[in-house]
Amino acid sequence: MKIGVLTGGGDCPGLNAVIRGVVRKGVGVYGHSFVGFRDGWRGPLENDTVPLDVAAVRGILPRGGTILGSSRTNPYAAADGPARVRETLERTGVDALIAIGGEDTLGAAARLHAEGIPVVGVPKTIDNDLSATDYTFGFDTAVNIATEAIDRLHTTAESHHRVLVVEVMGRHAGWIALHSGMAAGANVILIPEKPFDIDKVCAFVEQRFATRYAPIIVVAEGATPIAGTTVVREGELDAFGHQRLQGIGALLETEIRGRTGRETRATVLGHVQRGGTPTAFDRWLATRFGLHAVDAVHDGDFGKMVALHGTRVERVPLAEATGELKVVPEHLYAEAEVFFG
């Protein structure tokens, strides 16, 4: 078989490990050949390809990002998008696609499979918000980066008796905020799943200062206040209709300073969380996903996504994988609230 591979959506550590696992097993065990599509769904839409063989994947295991490039291109943004994808596959002789991505990339893959295009998905997102898998690769690296940053901010906060607000990624799910905030000893963690009361946040700030320590507040970019307490700025939309979130960290900085009189600074970690070398766990998980994805293609088991269940990698329907986001449950957030203040 000739198999196409693409990486879509936001980049994250571990993408190259998946590509390497797919190619090494696909060529070495099954004798398949591969072609890479550049920049996510833009590649098959515009017939933009790159050779993908064993030589091309040597040395990429520890590298962040993706050697294929990525984008947030939506193949359904144009009426003829699916037809153009199909035409490219036929023209290049590609028998099947492996799509590596998150909610949007795999959502498009599920729709294309429903229209008869053979696709297998691999779950990728630092947000860890795909419900059909216990973990997505990239998440562990993002949490470790955020945790290290918060550790460093503790000392400067205490030196200057400041409130430090740390904004981390997480549009609809607060997994990065929850894990990094608990790991680094944050005094307040704010997540999209639970609108916050700014007065309670300020009370926690004063409670922390009463112990002669400075507070650290970790907030997911998608967190929002209880309706009517403050105003959150809205950003523009991306190709999949999602708002480009901005401003929650700066808003908290202004509100806390104004309400408490305490010197407050906001730090937005942003794309630092996506970059750099993947952790050992993410390399391990991404490699296993790649191995099992090429197994699914070889078996002709299309319309599936590989998923981690416990320690087993299993196949689940793409439609199931993208049908519902995995959000932080109330009981896990309650564990973190023990340490607020």
Side-chain angles (χ1 to χ4, degrees):
M1 298 175 69
K2 186 175 184 180
I3 303 168
V5 182
L6 63 84
T7 54
D11 70 300
C12 79
L15 284 166
N16 287 323
V18 179
I19 298 168
R20 173 179 173 269
V22 164
V23 173
R24 287 291 299 271
K25 187 168 188 178
V27 173
V29 176
Y30 295 128
H32 298 316
S33 62
F34 293 86
V35 60
F37 288 103
R38 295 183 187 273
D39 302 335
W41 289 114
R42 187 192 68 79
L45 282 172
E46 300 180 8
N47 193 20
D48 189 356
T49 65
V50 59
L52 199 56
D53 55 17
V54 172
V57 301
R58 287 199 178 103
I60 68 172
L61 178 63
R63 286 175 55 184
T66 164
I67 62 170
L68 296 179
S70 191
S71 73
R72 296 192 184 277
T73 302
N74 183 354
Y76 285 90
D80 63 344
R84 287 163 58 189
V85 171
R86 187 185 301 276
E87 181 182 345
T88 294
L89 298 184
E90 292 174 354
R91 184 184 308 162
T92 55
V94 169
D95 301 298
L97 271 176
I98 294 177
I100 310 166
E103 172 195 3
D104 296 324
T105 300
L106 297 184
R111 294 179 66 182
L112 289 168
H113 173 259
E115 297 182 27
I117 294 177
V119 183
V120 167
V122 177
K124 170 246 43 156
T125 169
I126 66 169
D127 291 334
N128 197 41
D129 59 1
L130 291 178
S131 60
T133 183
D134 291 350
Y135 284 97
T136 56
F137 69 88
F139 171 67
D140 186 69
T141 303
V143 168
N144 275 272
I145 291 169
T147 300
E148 181 181 357
I150 298 165
D151 284 346
R152 292 175 180 275
L153 290 169
H154 269 294
T155 57
T156 186
E158 291 168 9
S159 296
H160 291 274
H161 314 292
R162 290 173 176 155
V163 183
L164 282 185
V165 178
V166 187
E167 182 182 316
V168 300
M169 285 185 168
R171 176 185 299 276
H172 300 298
W175 292 106
I176 295 176
L178 180 72
H179 282 239
S180 64
M182 288 187 71
N187 308 112
V188 182
I189 301 169
L190 306 176
I191 61 176
E193 293 87 340
K194 186 170 183 178
F196 61 85
D197 183 333
I198 188 65
D199 290 327
K200 285 186 177 180
V201 172
C202 291
F204 285 133
V205 166
E206 295 293 10
Q207 184 178 331
R208 179 66 173 175
F209 275 121
T211 67
R212 303 186 65 81
Y213 285 93
I216 298 282
I217 298 169
V218 176
V219 57
E221 61 183 338
T224 57
I226 295 171
T229 57
T230 53
V231 177
V232 178
R233 292 185 297 170
E234 295 183 353
E236 61 188 37
L237 301 182
D238 66 17
F240 287 90
H242 300 307
Q243 285 186 349
R244 299 185 188 278
L245 300 180
Q246 56 179 352
I248 188 62
L251 181 141
L252 280 168
E253 175 185 330
T254 300
E255 290 290 330
I256 293 170
R257 182 172 59 243
R259 291 167 185 253
T260 68
R262 301 285 187 175
E263 187 176 2
T264 308
R265 295 287 187 274
T267 299
V268 180
L269 296 187
H271 287 79
V272 169
Q273 296 159 91
R274 291 193 183 280
T277 301
T279 60
F281 178 83
D282 278 340
R283 298 185 205 189
W284 170 84
L285 179 58
T287 298
R288 294 189 68 203
F289 277 166
L291 298 176
H292 285 263
V294 79
D295 286 344
V297 172
H298 183 76
D299 294 343
D301 195 9
F302 301 116
K304 299 294 179 61
M305 183 193 83
V306 293
L308 184 69
H309 294 155
T311 59
R312 294 177 59 85
V313 176
E314 300 175 338
R315 303 171 192 172
V316 298
L318 270 171
E320 173 188 328
T322 58
E324 182 181 357
L325 287 179
K326 179 177 66 181
V327 296
V328 175
E330 187 173 343
H331 72 274
L332 286 184
Y333 189 67
E335 292 176 356
E337 288 182 303
V338 171
F339 301 96
F340 286 9

